[in-house]
Amino acid sequence: MTYHVRMQATDAALFWFRRDLRDEDNAGLSRALSAHSRVFCVFVFDTAILEGLAERADRRVEFIWHSVGMLRASLEARGGGLIVLHGPARQCIPELAHALGVVAVYANGDYEPAALARDQAVADALSARGMTFHAGKDQVIFEKRELLTGAGRPYTVFTPYRNAWRQALVPEMTAPWPMHFAALAPAPPGMERPLPTLESLGFTPTNLLSLGICPGMAGAQQLLEDFLPRLSQYALARDYPGRRGVSYLSVHLRFGTVSIRHLVRLALSQPDDGGQVWLNELVWRDFYFAILANFPYVATQAFRREYSRLAFDNSPTHFRAWQQGLTGYPIVDAGMRQLNQTGYMHNRLRMLTASFLVKDLGVDWRWGERYFADRLNDFDLAANNGGWQWCASTGCDAQPWFRMFNPVTQGRRVDPDGQFVRRYVPELAHVPTAALHAPWELSHQAQAAAGCVIGRDYPAPLVDHAQARSKTLRRYQREDRQPS
Ligand SMILES: Cc1cc2nc3c(=O)[nH]c(=O)nc-3n(C[C@H](O)[C@H](O)[C@H](O)COP(=O)(O)OP(=O)(O)OC[C@H]3O[C@@H](n4cnc5c(N)ncnc54)[C@H](O)[C@@H]3O)c2cc1C
């Protein structure tokens, strides 16, 4: 990218938006606005990321695209602007910073290995031209090594981490960052081009908006207004995918259209169980970020190295059936179809479907992790990896390997009236509730009466859970006995 104008050097700075698409309570933007008299803002549709996406119709790209447009409108209303680029960020940012004549570039820090490598490359390129790069904390309350055990090591067990988190928390940590908007600078002439279209970025529209997923800060606010009256019920309702029990804010946390500090303040202000239990979930999020930051090898390997040798069966046929929601286990299939159709999956079902893939089908957790990474609107390396390693029993503080979810009893527990299964597996719509989670147990005649003959209208179970369980126990037991 070439810029024709080289701006006069001032104490101006550039703020680079990434996974923090908001202009309220944004730590990095606040730091830049406080330290410089003029602050330009930029967002890069980074080809290094976009080219790696599996599908050209990707709800995340569309969510970002809308959110960037909304952010730009908000910055303009405050007297500033947003330069929007499309290219490799490693190159675009140093070139733009040079063209603008800024002395520094600010961003909010990231913890993913690829993002860290990109930031290092940008910092080096800026430094070679006499500019500095500042990337501080924004997306978590405690980061990296801020919370350590008495022995000075990062926590690897959640409960003591949570206790330390609660103890170390002081109100200033959740206070909103002040925003001195007077320093916001509009995009200079020639750089205030219209937002590139989704098509020009190489993508096609998805069903994002028709699903009712509202992007941007306004979308997050709308969800919060819907959730806050339900927060006191969260502890009870969160386990039932058929009910509106959770916040659905994960995609907004992922792209920073809502501030984590704001959510923690709201959780703390709720005196009953709901607020406490929800806060716990937000702490899990911090915990997995810290695990990824302190043990980056988890991105590709088992946290517990003794489990890196697990010999999985890795049947491509089984894997495909799981992806398509055709395993013959209704609750698993409903979860996978929810993911495929909406890009969201309820937490309980992420646990069940992940456990089923690894422990019932004997497929490597990394295959499933990758599939979720391609499909989840809220895909986040730290949380996704943490969740998969928890289910596969390879992670820190994970589900013990000998504990396996039974997809039938779990289905009956989390979807007792079958409302959720019927929504996503319409083949089973007329199966009586008592048989819904194990429809193969119905007589042939009863199956025909319900309009769902197993093997014709809906698959027979891919594996027998009891047999799969024994096989898995042997698989893990073998590794457990090996000296590491
Ligand atoms: C196998 C597996 C994969 C997962 N992959 C992701 C992922 O890629 N991205 C993601 O954000 N979450 C992931 N989770 C965690 C969790 O399922 C989602 O955060 C949650 O379902 C999002 O819905 P919600 O916003 O309504 O959550 P709520 O129940 O309202 O919780 C509020 C917020 O807390 C955080 N949170 C909740 N549970 C967890 C958790 N177990 N770990 C970390 N953070 C949590 C999320 O940011 C969430 O938005 C995964 C869990 C599992 C078991």
Side-chain angles (χ1 to χ4, degrees), residues 89-130:
R90 280 175 188 236
Q91 245 168 281
C92 290
I93 293 296
E95 282 175 13
L96 175 67
H98 177 68
L100 291 170
V102 299
V103 294
V105 174
Y106 287 74
N108 286 309
D110 206 311
Y111 309 100
E112 299 189 1
L116 287 169
R118 175 202 59 201
D119 285 358
Q120 190 55 55
V122 167
D124 292 345
L126 289 171
S127 160
R129 287 174 160 178

Side-chain angles (χ1 to χ4, degrees), residues 435-446:
L436 190 70
H437 292 285
W440 59 88
E441 286 176 354
L442 285 175
S443 67
H444 185 80
Q445 203 181 10

Side-chain angles (χ1 to χ4, degrees), residues 234 247-250 253 278 281 344 347 350 378 380 384:
Y234 178 78
S247 72
Y248 304 100
L249 277 162
S250 50
L253 276 164
W278 197 56
E281 299 307 314
Y344 179 81
N347 180 57
R350 296 188 204 203
D378 62 25
D380 186 280
N384 195 42

